[in-house]
Amino acid sequence: MSASEFELIQRHFSELGSRRDDVLLGVGDDAALLQPTPGEVLALCVDTLVGGVHFPQDAPADSVGHKALAVNLSDLAAMGARPAWATLSLTVPTADEDWIAAFARGFGDLARYHGIALVGGDLTRGPLSVSVQAAGFVPRGRALTRRGARPGDAVCVSGTLGDAALGLCLWRDGRADLDEDSRWLVDRLHRPVPRVSLGLALRDCATSAVDISDGLAQDLGHVLQASGVGAQLDVDRLPLSTALVQYAAREDHLTQAMGGGDDYELCFTVPRSCLHKLDAIASRVGVQITRIGTIQPDGGLELVHADRSPARLGKAGYTHFDAS
Amino acid sequence: MSASEFELIQRHFSELGSRRDDVLLGVGDDAALLQPTPGEVLALCVDTLVGGVHFPQDAPADSVGHKALAVNLSDLAAMGARPAWATLSLTVPTADEDWIAAFARGFGDLARYHGIALVGGDLTRGPLSVSVQAAGFVPRGRALTRRGARPGDAVCVSGTLGDAALGLCLWRDGRADLDEDSRWLVDRLHRPVPRVSLGLALRDCATSAVDISDGLAQDLGHVLQASGVGAQLDVDRLPLSTALVQYAAREDHLTQAMGGGDDYELCFTVPRSCLHKLDAIASRVGVQITRIGTIQPDGGLELVHADRSPARLGKAGYTHFDAS
């Protein structure tokens, strides 16, 4: 690291996020020293966003900072973990201080909102890329994993599906700023809201959870595989935003909802006996929850309409995803 | 992540490193679930290596895997922490499975040697870059930081200095394979040995420690600044390898030893009352330790010869680094 890079880190990253009593030594030494929460388990995740791959190279710097942390908080949310600390590796092509300051603002605002401290940082020169690691805590035995879905459980999702993928199309086409709906869709892409409170609330009732980063079909597929079960989804119940309905062609809705990544909603399974709790949870955490299907003993992922007729996915036209 | 990338991760990264009882859930869910060591403090660090910046693009894949973990273990060593877990974000331009397998071998061999489990992974497509986070434990109040150097303490370094920077010159010039010395120097660049055992042993006597990643002058400068002290170094005592003496011009020795990065030796300070312990520590952990100077109340970093005459740094010709 050059002396000027050291100063840049000091200036923008040394006190990012919240102050926490469990941070004994933060940014600025060879490693941070942290006091784990006694009696709880540490949940640790990492996610890297590469410019031009995971976000447009011209995405606003503050949204890149926001998103890099958000996708990791989304992972912790999917485990039912309460976030505590994050580390950040930022690689930038040039030491553009305005860009770095805006990035730090986006990252820091979200960190403070969730009471997270940035405890380690690393600023390097190279192709634009951000790698964030987040750490949180969950009482032992109460974490949500991908392994617990059981036949008969309801499959649920938070929020709406496919918005971010559509937002990316609008952004790429230079149609981000057409109206309120287009701006909202692009915001869903650039500034995903990690469902942290929902994840914590689901500890009491969900049998499995995953966050939707690669699209519902693929991410639910991981749950089905890890749990050794299948699922039947009623595609007519997939929650779509009015903005998506406005901007996506009718025949693309299903493909968008099943395959669109980057939404960072949670997909989770709940035993029937707990379904009655979901309304209260949804209103408490301020997120819509929709029951979209049922876990089956096997058979991969089956898509049907409300009348049980098979559903077809846009041009691809297949009705089964192989979960194996 | 595409399905094939998911399979690549499964195949090469799902069981990398050691099995540990404190890993309740490893690679393959949204986050790992880990059991912190009761009564100890978590040391957490992150370091990113960018291809073409921190290592040559054509460096052997296994050495890139080794080095990406080694530089983080070096940070934990500088804190006196016992390493436990690591996460890995690997960004590669193409899914070249041979390269990835060799990378995983280099990473995994070093992880197993130190009893570390890889608990989180992330494989993305993009310009070659590796970001590793390492976590370890240290009893509360016994970590080595950069803040504890006191006037009168001896300044010591492990191993020899400047080898890796010279190794880089040889590699770039296509002179890596001339003889045993040249191969050894290049190995110092590609396969640094993190001084983990030394860091643990120093808990009993060192007042501060830092690892030498950016060159002795700069890294010791951080210690001086954090501790609010200065230092006088006797440049005639700087430990040089016979390979460096063989390959570097006489007039470059000092610059190479003071400014050469990537050695990943430890620089640490020890009260005079503890100096007698160092020989035993050096032979126990199998690393040479050299006393190179003394901490002063102030005055930045002063370089002198054995006869106390000022030393000059090669072409730059300055004798003081400003530690502020």
Side-chain angles (χ1 to χ4, degrees):
Chain A
M1 189 199 308
S2 75
S4 67
E5 279 167 328
F6 187 77
E7 282 161 23
L8 271 178
I9 288 179
Q10 289 282 355
R11 198 172 308 140
H12 296 290
F13 296 115
S14 60
E15 302 237 324
L16 215 55
S18 297
R19 283 180 172 276
R20 295 176 59 99
D21 290 342
D22 56 12
V23 178
L24 309 179
L25 185 64
V27 172
D29 214 299
D30 292 294
L33 294 175
L34 307 164
Q35 183 62 62
T37 306
E40 299 208 359
V41 163
L42 179 71
L44 194 63
C45 63
V46 59
D47 243 321
T48 298
L49 303 183
V50 178
V53 178
H54 301 97
F55 61 89
Q57 293 275 10
D58 59 348
D62 63 329
S63 74
V64 177
H66 172 99
K67 186 165 181 172
L69 179 57
V71 301
N72 281 279
L73 298 187
S74 178
D75 280 327
L76 292 185
M79 302 300 289
R82 174 179 45 81
W85 312 308
T87 65
L88 163 68
S89 274
L90 176 60
T91 304
V92 290
T94 56
D96 174 345
E97 188 158 358
D98 288 342
W99 195 95
I100 289 170
F103 174 94
R105 196 169 59 245
F107 188 102
D109 286 350
L110 185 64
R112 272 190 305 278
Y113 181 81
H114 289 285
I116 297 165
L118 180 72
V119 299
D122 175 67
L123 181 64
T124 56
R125 198 69 58 89
L128 185 57
S129 172
V130 196
S131 184
V132 172
Q133 182 197 50
F137 289 92
V138 57
R140 186 157 183 162
R142 295 189 63 200
L144 305 172
T145 72
R146 300 177 178 184
R147 300 180 178 181
R150 295 288 168 264
D153 286 355
V155 179
C156 302
V157 291
S158 64
T160 52
L161 300 173
D163 301 321
L166 184 55
L168 179 60
C169 296
L170 293 173
W171 176 268
R172 281 189 178 149
D173 294 349
R175 298 165 63 211
D177 236 347
L178 297 181
D179 61 13
E180 204 174 312
D181 280 342
S182 71
R183 283 189 288 274
W184 184 85
L185 288 166
V186 171
D187 225 42
R188 289 277 285 163
L189 170 72
H190 283 155
R191 303 183 63 83
V193 177
R195 301 303 186 191
V196 174
S197 303
L198 177 59
L200 294 176
L202 290 176
R203 281 180 189 170
D204 291 334
C205 55
T207 51
S208 75
V210 70
D211 73 323
I212 303 177
S213 54
D214 297 320
L216 176 61
Q218 193 169 326
D219 292 312
L220 177 55
H222 294 320
V223 171
L224 302 184
Q225 184 181 15
S227 299
V229 295
Q232 187 184 66
L233 298 192
D234 176 351
V235 299
D236 296 323
R237 302 181 83 159
L238 294 175
L240 304 179
S241 65
T242 52
L244 182 136
V245 170
Q246 148 95 355
Y247 271 99
R250 179 85 183 80
E251 64 269 27
D252 293 336
H253 287 183
L254 179 55
T255 312
Q256 206 100 25
M258 290 300 300
D262 264 3
D263 283 323
Y264 299 99
E265 297 296 346
L266 296 186
C267 173
F268 53 96
T269 56
V270 178
R272 277 184 207 148
S273 59
C274 282
L275 278 172
H276 66 281
K277 294 184 184 175
L278 293 184
D279 281 350
I281 289 175
S283 59
R284 192 166 84 237
V285 303
V287 180
Q288 170 188 327
I289 294 176
T290 309
R291 180 181 175 181
I292 58 172
T294 307
I295 294 294
Q296 310 280 8
D298 47 44
L301 181 53
E302 186 190 5
L303 305 184
V304 298
H305 288 287
D307 64 3
R308 298 289 169 106
S309 64
R312 293 184 172 278
L313 262 191
K315 291 149 203 143
Y318 49 94
T319 58
H320 269 258
F321 289 86
D322 185 1
S324 65
Chain B
M1 188 199 308
S2 75
S4 68
E5 280 167 328
F6 187 77
E7 283 161 22
L8 270 179
I9 289 179
Q10 288 282 356
R11 197 170 311 142
H12 295 290
F13 296 116
S14 60
E15 303 238 322
L16 214 54
S18 297
R19 285 178 171 275
R20 294 177 59 98
D21 290 342
D22 56 12
V23 178
L24 309 178
L25 184 65
V27 172
D29 213 300
D30 291 295
L33 294 175
L34 308 164
Q35 182 63 63
T37 306
E40 299 209 0
V41 162
L42 179 72
L44 193 63
C45 62
V46 58
D47 243 321
T48 298
L49 303 183
V50 178
V53 178
H54 300 97
F55 61 89
Q57 293 275 11
D58 59 348
D62 63 330
S63 73
V64 177
H66 172 100
K67 187 166 182 172
L69 179 57
V71 302
N72 280 279
L73 298 188
S74 178
D75 281 328
L76 292 185
M79 304 300 287
R82 175 179 44 81
W85 312 309
T87 66
L88 163 68
S89 274
L90 175 60
T91 304
V92 290
T94 56
D96 175 343
E97 188 160 357
D98 288 343
W99 195 96
I100 289 170
F103 175 94
R105 196 170 56 243
F107 188 102
D109 285 350
L110 185 63
R112 272 189 306 279
Y113 181 81
H114 288 286
I116 297 165
L118 180 73
V119 299
D122 175 67
L123 181 64
T124 56
R125 198 68 59 91
L128 185 58
S129 172
V130 195
S131 185
V132 172
Q133 293 95 350
F137 288 92
V138 57
R140 186 155 183 166
R142 295 189 64 202
L144 306 173
T145 73
R146 300 177 177 185
R147 300 179 177 182
R150 295 291 168 264
D153 287 355
V155 179
C156 303
V157 292
S158 63
T160 53
L161 300 172
D163 301 320
L166 185 54
L168 179 60
C169 296
L170 293 173
W171 176 268
R172 281 186 177 150
D173 294 349
R175 297 164 65 211
D177 237 348
L178 296 180
D179 60 13
E180 204 174 312
D181 280 342
S182 71
R183 282 189 290 274
W184 184 84
L185 288 165
V186 171
D187 224 43
R188 289 276 284 162
L189 170 72
H190 284 329
R191 304 183 63 83
V193 177
R195 301 302 188 192
V196 174
S197 303
L198 176 60
L200 295 176
L202 290 176
R203 280 180 189 170
D204 292 333
C205 55
T207 52
S208 75
V210 71
D211 74 323
I212 304 176
S213 53
D214 297 319
L216 175 62
Q218 193 170 324
D219 292 312
L220 176 56
H222 296 319
V223 170
L224 301 183
Q225 184 182 15
S227 299
V229 295
Q232 188 185 66
L233 298 191
D234 176 351
V235 300
D236 297 323
R237 300 181 84 161
L238 295 175
L240 304 179
S241 65
T242 52
L244 181 137
V245 170
Q246 149 94 355
Y247 271 99
R250 179 87 184 80
E251 63 269 26
D252 293 335
H253 287 184
L254 179 55
T255 312
Q256 205 100 28
M258 290 300 299
D262 263 4
D263 282 323
Y264 298 99
E265 296 296 344
L266 296 186
C267 173
F268 54 96
T269 56
V270 178
R272 278 185 207 148
S273 60
C274 282
L275 278 172
H276 66 280
K277 294 185 183 173
L278 293 183
D279 282 350
I281 289 176
S283 58
R284 194 167 79 237
V285 304
V287 180
Q288 169 187 328
I289 294 175
T290 309
R291 181 181 174 181
I292 58 172
T294 307
I295 295 294
Q296 310 280 7
D298 47 43
L301 180 55
E302 186 190 3
L303 305 183
V304 298
H305 288 286
D307 64 2
R308 296 290 169 106
S309 64
R312 292 184 172 280
L313 263 189
K315 291 149 202 142
Y318 48 92
T319 57
H320 270 257
F321 290 85
D322 186 1
S324 66

